[in-house]
Amino acid sequence: MKRIQVENRTDLKSEIPLEAPYSLFIDPSSACNFKCKFCMNDHIKDKQVMDFALYRSIIDSLDEFKSPIKTVRLYGFGEPLVNPKFAEMVAYAKRSPKVLSVDTTTNASLLNPRLNEEIIGSRIDRINISVEGVNSQQYMDFTGRQINFVEFVQNIEHLYSIRGDTVIFIKINGDRMTELDKKFFYTIFGDICDGLDIEYTMSCWYGLDIPKNEVIGVYGQPRESVNVCPYIFYSLMIQPSGEVSVCFLDWDKRMVIGDVRERSIKAVWDSDELKNFRIDMLNGVKNSICANCDQLRAGMPVNLDEHAAEILGRL
């Protein structure tokens, strides 16, 4: 089981332009309680937690779309559970007829039985858990935070035991693991999740010199480059501030094209700014960020390259 769906994908090339995004990333918090060595979070200058009133207005504005959003992804550049309203955010989105599913990715360090009950009670569809080691010392070395590893595992075990219909998926980075570590990972977490996988490093955070696996992609697949970014055709990222980025990897807001405090998500989705960005991409005109994006080499993106002219004719 992989973190992303690779089977039975929608035929994106035939659907563009989309009336509504497939995926809407909404970042509950750009603040994080870890300082992981591969992450850009420590470089974010203005860390914020999204205001719940702003979040409500975002979900309410989805009514302007004729089609529902397939997935609201409640994560971004920080730890989503730092936001004290996280479970309420999930529940509010789940009540919207314009949201089909909600998921998140978390380091799980803030889980406890009470919070577990709240999150599962919110009816979240999927929780991806990023594990950063197989013992307390590895956590200290990699995240800069001392955790009680036994308690950490127990909290995940409790979450899994009450999960109901929620899918619990656990992943870990394999580039820094020994074969023994990998065996420990499967032994510790194999029975307390619905799926787990060992993933690999890519340099997706532009402007930062972060080591990456030069041989294989994130999911262990061969690295294969695409020229046309598919993500800009089916997703948007909403920063905790309300600013809207064309890219879900836009950690320092270099690709902001709108602000939900000034206009709706649909207005941004239908904007000339986004349309022109897509046209440039299809014509092979990329800014320096997109031109060097490792996500397009290691992230298993949909390949639209051979269909660029066809898609361009429909925009």
Side-chain angles (χ1 to χ4, degrees):
M1 182 180 187
K2 301 295 182 184
R3 182 160 44 111
I4 63 167
Q5 177 184 327
V6 294
E7 300 85 14
N8 303 315
R9 278 182 168 182
T10 302
D11 185 15
L12 180 62
K13 68 179 184 297
S14 301
E15 298 292 325
I16 298 171
L18 302 178
E19 188 274 331
Y22 286 161
S23 301
L24 187 62
F25 290 81
I26 305 177
D27 194 358
S29 169
S30 57
C32 187
N33 59 329
F34 281 179
K35 292 187 177 182
C36 297
K37 294 180 179 178
F38 69 88
C39 190
M40 47 60 225
N41 187 265
D42 201 37
H43 299 270
I44 296 177
K45 297 177 182 178
D46 183 24
K47 297 180 182 180
Q48 296 177 282
V49 171
M50 180 174 281
D51 179 75
F52 190 67
L54 173 62
Y55 174 78
R56 278 201 313 264
S57 71
I58 293 168
I59 297 301
D60 291 347
S61 76
L62 300 181
D63 287 342
E64 294 182 14
F65 289 107
K66 294 179 181 178
S67 306
I69 308 299
K70 288 188 175 183
T71 307
V72 166
R73 303 195 183 283
L74 287 177
Y75 61 94
F77 310 117
E79 167 51 45
L81 300 188
V82 167
N83 191 317
K85 298 282 189 178
F86 177 80
E88 292 179 57
M89 294 174 80
V90 176
Y92 196 80
K94 289 291 291 181
R95 289 195 292 270
S96 170
K98 292 303 173 74
V99 176
L100 297 185
S101 67
V102 180
D103 68 24
T104 194
T105 297
T106 172
N107 64 35
S109 66
L110 299 176
L111 292 179
N112 58 62
R114 178 193 58 77
L115 183 56
N116 290 350
E117 295 278 358
E118 291 179 4
I119 294 173
I120 297 302
S122 72
R123 299 190 301 120
I124 192 168
D125 294 278
R126 179 172 172 134
I127 302 172
N128 298 312
I129 295 175
S130 296
V131 171
E132 308 300 348
V134 293
N135 56 56
S136 296
Q137 186 57 53
Q138 288 184 4
Y139 261 84
M140 185 64 193
D141 293 342
F142 192 71
T143 72
R145 177 176 174 181
Q146 186 69 49
I147 70 166
N148 183 323
F149 189 74
V150 172
E151 185 177 309
F152 171 78
V153 174
Q154 289 174 341
N155 284 330
I156 295 176
E157 183 176 15
H158 176 262
L159 181 75
Y160 182 70
S161 73
I162 64 170
R163 72 193 185 286
D165 295 328
T166 301
V167 173
I168 308 296
F169 179 83
I170 299 177
K171 63 186 179 72
I172 194 170
N173 181 273
D175 286 314
R176 53 193 169 81
M177 298 176 74
T178 66
E179 291 303 312
L180 185 59
D181 287 339
K182 293 176 182 179
K183 290 181 181 179
F184 282 152
F185 171 69
Y186 286 116
T187 299
I188 295 167
F189 297 101
D191 292 332
I192 56 173
C193 63
D194 297 299
L196 75 171
D197 196 22
I198 295 175
E199 298 184 355
Y200 298 89
T201 308
M202 67 174 172
S203 183
C204 60
W205 307 121
Y206 58 79
L208 303 177
D209 185 17
I210 295 174
K212 63 175 180 280
N213 191 309
E214 300 282 1
V215 179
I216 56 177
V218 176
Y219 311 106
Q221 83 282 8
R223 289 171 62 92
E224 296 181 2
S225 181
V226 303
N227 291 315
V228 176
C229 174
Y231 306 103
I232 64 173
F233 294 94
Y234 68 82
S235 65
L236 283 176
M237 159 59 74
I238 305 178
Q239 308 273 355
S241 61
E243 293 162 290
V244 183
S245 292
V246 66
C247 176
F248 66 95
L249 299 173
D250 188 24
W251 66 274
D252 68 345
K253 304 180 183 180
R254 297 190 199 178
M255 290 184 280
V256 170
I257 57 168
D259 192 318
V260 295
R261 294 167 295 184
E262 299 171 358
R263 53 180 176 168
S264 68
I265 292 295
K266 188 175 190 307
V268 176
W269 184 251
D270 294 336
S271 68
D272 288 339
E273 294 96 325
L274 184 53
K275 180 180 179 180
N276 291 335
F277 194 96
R278 291 167 172 165
I279 289 173
D280 284 346
M281 178 66 65
L282 292 167
N283 281 321
V285 179
K286 295 182 182 179
N287 60 33
S288 60
I289 296 172
C290 297
N292 296 306
C293 180
D294 205 38
Q295 179 76 26
L296 300 185
R297 293 183 285 267
M300 204 182 288
V302 176
N303 192 336
L304 299 175
D305 291 359
E306 294 182 3
H307 308 280
E310 170 194 343
I311 295 169
L312 190 58
R314 295 200 299 264
L315 290 184

